[in-house]
Amino acid sequence: MQDLSRQKELEEKLNHQIAVKEKLLTEYKENFKLLFNASADILFDFDIAANQVSISNAYQKEFVYPISNMTPEEDWISNIHPDDKEAVIKDYLRVLSSGEIEWNYNFRFLRADHSAVNVLSRAILIRNAAGKAYRMIGYIHDTSKQIVLKPRLKKEILSKEKQLAGALEAARQTERLAPGK
């Protein structure tokens, strides 16, 4: 009788510990989802073996594609700009087959309305003991605005440098012409 009561006590204790851990896991998952979807960048977690991806809501907001039942092969690759697709896939496959743990690539991605957006995709590959990649976690960032603004910024900087050089020269001229110098 004593053995059964001890066993029951241990089972209750174990069930309580399991319940606490399950609650913590649920809270962790909820917090992770909130954080995952709070980013303006598109965050992704790609299970390479299962060919399934978890992707943040920013994907749907940015590219206007539905997220449900998304697979990388069917959705991500098919929406790479046709002129960039071969090079992106080649580099992606190169990184998968190498021992590298980081992948960075700039390319154009097609939105649902078929307009192209320049993006930077960065990811970390997680590999098993044999070196085979089984998971990829990363983000996709829209670089279109930076690409458009970069030449404007350079032009603005050159203009300001010319203004500064002109002002400096005018100050030197004024100093030379000032009486008592």
Side-chain angles (χ1 to χ4, degrees):
M1 192 62 134
Q2 200 173 16
D3 288 338
L4 287 177
S5 63
R6 176 74 177 140
Q7 182 178 352
K8 185 172 174 125
E9 179 186 327
L10 290 173
E11 284 176 2
E12 287 175 4
K13 189 175 182 180
L14 181 61
N15 287 336
H16 175 72
Q17 289 176 349
I18 290 171
V20 167
K21 299 240 186 242
E22 285 176 347
K23 183 180 181 213
L24 287 172
L25 181 60
T26 300
E27 289 174 3
Y28 167 77
K29 285 180 178 180
E30 289 170 0
N31 290 339
F32 179 77
K33 188 173 184 176
L34 288 171
L35 180 62
F36 194 70
N37 288 315
S39 176
D41 286 333
I42 298 149
L43 305 177
F44 62 88
D45 182 350
F46 175 26
D47 180 338
I48 296 169
N51 194 31
Q52 290 295 313
V53 67
S54 297
I55 197 154
S56 66
N57 292 341
Y59 181 82
Q60 190 163 343
K61 290 176 193 168
E62 183 68 35
F63 302 131
V64 199
Y65 291 115
I67 295 173
S68 62
N69 301 320
M70 183 182 166
T71 61
E73 298 293 329
E74 296 166 11
D75 295 300
W76 178 73
I77 292 173
S78 66
N79 295 317
I80 296 171
H81 190 282
D83 294 343
D84 298 343
K85 189 178 291 190
E86 184 179 335
V88 173
I89 293 170
K90 183 179 178 181
D91 194 65
Y92 169 73
L93 293 174
R94 178 195 63 77
V95 169
L96 278 183
S97 64
S98 75
E100 294 178 40
I101 60 167
E102 291 185 28
W103 184 63
N104 301 306
Y105 209 85
N106 289 291
F107 57 95
R108 290 169 291 175
F109 196 83
L110 299 176
R111 290 187 170 118
D113 67 2
H114 303 291
S115 64
V117 60
N118 294 295
V119 298
L120 166 64
S121 186
R122 283 201 156 139
I124 300 294
L125 286 92
I126 302 171
R127 297 179 178 277
N128 63 20
K132 183 174 180 171
Y134 66 89
R135 191 169 173 196
M136 181 182 228
I137 301 171
Y139 70 91
I140 300 170
H141 176 74
D142 180 352
T143 59
S144 298
K145 291 175 185 157
Q146 288 99 324
I147 289 170
V148 169
L149 292 176
K150 194 173 183 177
R152 288 184 194 166
L153 184 58
K154 280 185 178 181
K155 188 176 180 180
E156 185 70 24
I157 289 170
L158 286 173
S159 173
K160 296 296 181 190
E161 286 174 347
K162 286 179 183 177
Q163 287 176 350
L164 186 58
L168 185 58
E169 185 57 35
R172 286 182 183 144
Q173 286 289 349
T174 304
E175 189 177 299
R176 277 182 267 191
L177 298 174
K181 293 279 179 176

